[in-house]
């Protein structure tokens, strides 16, 4: 089935995102409007200090009006690879450099209204380095054990969907089949 875009309009273009409205032809000959955010690529990093401990960030998120306990994440800059972005975001947000980055998947964050495609990485062999957080970010590191992650998932302590996905993957990774 092919969906035809009849018309595409940019409603807003900012520094971080673009808002668009498309008129599409849907099956049956009808037309429909779709509004969505154009964002691009992003990365999620699971920083493992060892087999039992992770580094998360407690970060202020203005749209929520609150601090959220999250895995490090961020936008892939123009011309940057997801691996480079993951290493950069990890350093900026936690002050650690990874010796090893392993890609564990790609997923859309909110495909009903956004184009954002996120690549997830497990970061291992963390080495302390001089972090350089964005000057407008308000965050601090939080180290959690596997048991604390599991109890936090059970108690719905985490409210960020990408973090919940990453933590569930980390807890279950030893039980998941590997690609061959």
């Amino acid at each position: 089935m092919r969906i035809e875009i009849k018309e595409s309009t940019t409603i807003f273009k900012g520094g971080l995102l673009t808002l668009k409205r498309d008129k599409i032809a849907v099956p049956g000959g009808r037309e429909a409007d779709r509004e969505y955010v154009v964002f691009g690529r992003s990365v999620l990093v699971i920083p493992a200090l060892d087999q039992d401990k992770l580094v998360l960030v407690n970060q202020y998120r203005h749209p929520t009006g609150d601090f959220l306990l999250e895995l490090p994440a961020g936008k892939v800059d123009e011309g940057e690879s997801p691996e480079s972005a993951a290493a950069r975001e990890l350093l900026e947000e936690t002050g650690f450099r990874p010796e090893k980055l392993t890609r564990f998947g790609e997923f859309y964050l909110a495909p009903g209204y956004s184009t954002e495609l996120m690549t997830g990485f497990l970061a291992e062999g963390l080495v302390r380095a001089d972090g350089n957080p964005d000057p407008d970010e308000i965050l601090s590191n939080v180290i959690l054990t596997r048991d604390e992650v599991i109890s936090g998932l059970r108690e719905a302590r985490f409210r960020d969907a990408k973090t919940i996905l990453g933590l569930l993957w980390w807890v279950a990774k030893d039980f998941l089949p590997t690609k061959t």
Side-chain angles (χ1 to χ4, degrees):
M1 175 183 310
R2 188 172 165 286
I3 304 296
E4 182 183 352
I5 299 173
K6 298 286 197 174
E7 181 181 324
S8 186
T9 305
T10 298
I11 298 167
F12 170 80
K13 184 166 179 63
L16 181 64
L17 55 87
T18 299
L19 179 60
K20 295 190 83 164
R21 180 183 299 121
D22 289 353
K23 185 175 290 297
I24 62 172
V26 295
R30 296 185 349 261
E31 290 185 351
D33 287 335
R34 295 291 189 262
E35 294 175 349
Y36 59 99
V37 173
V38 177
F39 187 84
R41 301 290 307 253
S42 61
V43 293
L44 173 70
V45 185
I46 302 172
L49 283 172
D50 57 34
Q51 293 295 333
D52 188 56
K53 290 185 188 140
L54 294 183
V55 180
L56 282 82
V57 291
N58 192 38
Q59 185 167 10
Y60 177 71
R61 294 298 193 176
H62 188 70
T64 70
D66 205 355
F67 283 83
L68 299 180
L69 192 54
E70 303 179 20
L71 289 168
K75 189 166 177 43
V76 176
D77 292 335
E78 185 76 30
E80 186 178 37
S81 71
E83 289 79 6
S84 294
R88 176 182 50 76
E89 287 292 339
L90 179 63
L91 180 61
E92 286 176 5
E93 294 189 7
T94 68
F96 285 101
R97 285 190 195 282
E99 290 181 350
K100 181 181 178 186
L101 280 173
T102 305
R103 184 186 298 231
F104 69 84
E106 289 188 337
F107 41 92
Y108 288 98
L109 264 67
Y113 66 84
S114 175
T115 64
E116 184 174 359
L117 180 63
M118 182 168 268
T119 305
F121 292 92
L122 175 64
E124 299 173 287
L126 302 185
V127 178
R128 264 277 172 220
D130 290 332
N132 189 19
D134 289 337
D136 61 345
E137 287 186 317
I138 304 165
L139 52 81
S140 60
N141 287 355
V142 176
I143 296 172
L144 296 180
T145 65
R146 181 178 297 274
D147 287 343
E148 290 169 327
V149 167
I150 292 168
S151 68
L153 287 165
R154 283 190 176 129
E155 297 164 9
R157 180 178 178 198
F158 309 105
R159 298 180 294 152
D160 172 60
K162 68 185 181 310
T163 295
I164 294 167
L165 173 75
L167 294 176
L168 286 169
W169 179 87
W170 182 69
V171 168
K173 71 180 171 43
D174 295 332
F175 305 103
L176 296 171
T178 57
K179 286 186 177 180
T180 55

